[in-house]
Amino acid sequence: MLDRKYILIDQHESYCTGKIIGRVNEDHYYLVAFDIHYEKDPTPLRPQEAVAVEEIAGSLCEECGSRRWKIFDTASDRQAWIDWMEKPSPESKKVLDLVSTKRH
Ligand SMILES: [Zn+2]
C-alpha cells in the first residue's frame, strides 16, 4: 500500500519530492502532490497528478538504469536519504544502484 508514503523521484542529476495522497481507480493510479520550489517566486501550490502504479514501480533512469521512484514511510527517512545521496563521494551513485538492485 503506497497511500501516504513520501516519495523522491530520482532524475539522475536532480530530483523532486512529493507525497502520495490518495488512490484513484482501485489502486491502478495514485494521486501524488509534488513539492515545487521556485527560488525567485515562492508559491504555496502543490500540483497534483494521478500516476499509474506501473510508472511508480517500474520507471527506470535512462542514464543509469536505477529505479526512479524512491518510497519512504516518513519525511525524515527521505531527508536522511537525500543527505546521504548529496554527500560528495564519487562512490555514492554506485552504492545507490547496488542497494536499489538488491532491494527488488
Ligand atoms: Zn540515474
Side-chain angles (χ1 to χ4, degrees):
M1 195 59 69
L2 295 172
D3 210 357
R4 302 280 144 196
K5 299 283 190 186
Y6 293 82
I7 54 154
L8 179 148
I9 303 165
D10 191 344
Q11 296 163 323
H12 203 73
E13 295 294 319
S14 63
Y15 62 86
C16 71
T17 59
K19 188 177 183 185
I20 295 174
I21 57 171
R23 288 179 283 153
V24 186
N25 193 13
E26 304 287 333
D27 288 0
H28 294 302
Y29 290 85
Y30 284 91
L31 197 60
V32 179
F34 291 98
D35 305 320
I36 305 285
H37 306 287
Y38 294 106
E39 280 177 26
K40 287 182 185 158
D41 185 15
T43 169
L45 283 177
R46 301 185 80 216
Q48 298 178 9
E49 268 179 45
V51 181
V53 71
E54 290 84 3
E55 162 79 12
I56 296 172
S59 177
L60 301 177
C61 175
E62 288 175 7
E63 297 286 329
C64 68
S66 69
R67 279 169 199 279
R68 293 180 67 214
W69 288 67
K70 322 286 189 206
I71 297 156
F72 303 90
D73 285 332
T74 67
S76 62
D77 282 357
R78 184 179 59 197
Q79 190 55 50
W81 175 274
I82 291 168
D83 292 345
W84 174 79
M85 196 171 53
E86 289 184 340
K87 253 193 268 177
S89 155
E91 296 301 313
S92 56
K93 202 70 190 175
K94 266 186 201 160
V95 176
L96 184 146
D97 292 340
L98 279 179
V99 169
S100 92
T101 307
K102 267 188 201 159
R103 229 178 16 174
H104 299 279

